[in-house]
Amino acid sequence: MSQSILILPGDGIGPEVARAAKACLQAVAQLEGLEFTFSEAAFGGAGIDASGEPLPEDTLKAAEAADAIFLGAVGGPQWDHAPKRPEQGLLGLRKALGLFANLRPVKVFKGLEHLSPLKEDRVAGADVLIVRELTGGLYFGEKREGEDEAFDGCTYSRAEVSRIAEIGFKAAQGRKGKLTSVDKANVLATSRLWRKTVNDLSSQYPDVTVDHLYVDAAAMALVTHPARFDVIVTENLFGDILSDEAAVVAGSIGLLGSASLGASGPGLFEPIHGSAPDIAGQDKANPSGAIASAAMLLRYGLNQPKAADRLEAALEAALLHEERTADLGGTAKGSAFAHSVLAHIQKAQVMEPAQ
């Protein structure tokens, strides 16, 4: 049965990295005997240019009907003073689809420790999954904005904390069995509710060890001892900041993908880098994060773990053995690196034992 993938190329380097992700998905589908149908829609700044809305109605309908959604990137200076910003489309899409959980893996591949600006012995073995609550907190709270005073309200309910914590606990069960909950319970009332809720849930997961860190301590530990972490679960604002900080552990924000998931319906998969308008159209963008996101789309969005394994293995092989893009100290064009990944996808088929 065919599975439908909606691609939202977006802005800046978004269309470039989206093309690379689509090509990899098509290659893996052919080798694994899968059938995907692809469609595209305007979103973000491109949506504003097309219809005046960062999330056009037709795009939302297409997203709701898809099995999975891939997003390139949104934003750019040309929309800085527009009545609606491109990023509003992303917040709107998350809310409309109920995408409350953002998964951001950060892994240092053996042999690539030198890519990190941190000391190699400090990042060796780092393999962290950050689980970020995505539809609550300051980003979605009550807002007031004036010339002399502004207000952003931060609200969390026990139900909101429970559902994201459960995803963190279940993820830890399939990994090293350790969950670190990050909050600011010494200052914030929402964080005290967060910590109490996580502790109350912990009795349901006796195979998972739980500890708590204040967000400032967690930020320091991520760059001084990242291998201490397994799964990190945290609220929206803290997760946004920590997951971008964690990119330095792997060596480049261009390496990292993400998945945004809800209780049902399609998930949204996107590299965590921005639209990088300064290099858009120059074939300089690292497509690794987009390809990693495509693998997460296969694994979490379409329930195709074998295909996801194949794509992740090809990406790792290309990073280990091929010329890398400029953000990783190499000279390869983005499209050239994407072709290297495609070549390794093909090699993986040759190395498989005959059936």
Side-chain angles (χ1 to χ4, degrees), residues 106 115-117 130 222 241-256 272:
V106 179
L115 297 181
S116 175
I130 298 177
L222 267 174
I241 296 168
L242 291 178
S243 56
D244 282 358
E245 181 201 19
V248 74
V249 175
S252 169
I253 201 170
L255 290 171
L256 305 183
I272 75 167

Side-chain angles (χ1 to χ4, degrees), residues 6-12 14-15 40-60 63 69-80 82-94 268 270 275:
L6 174 66
I7 295 182
L8 307 176
D11 313 316
E40 291 191 7
F43 185 72
I48 293 172
D49 289 347
S51 69
E53 294 289 337
L55 177 55
E57 185 177 345
D58 289 347
T59 299
L60 178 57
I69 306 159
F70 180 90
L71 170 63
V74 295
Q78 61 266 54
W79 301 288
D80 281 351
K84 295 183 179 180
R85 298 287 298 273
E87 294 80 4
Q88 288 178 266
L90 185 55
L91 295 178
L93 187 61
R94 290 170 179 169
L268 175 67
E270 58 180 311
S275 61

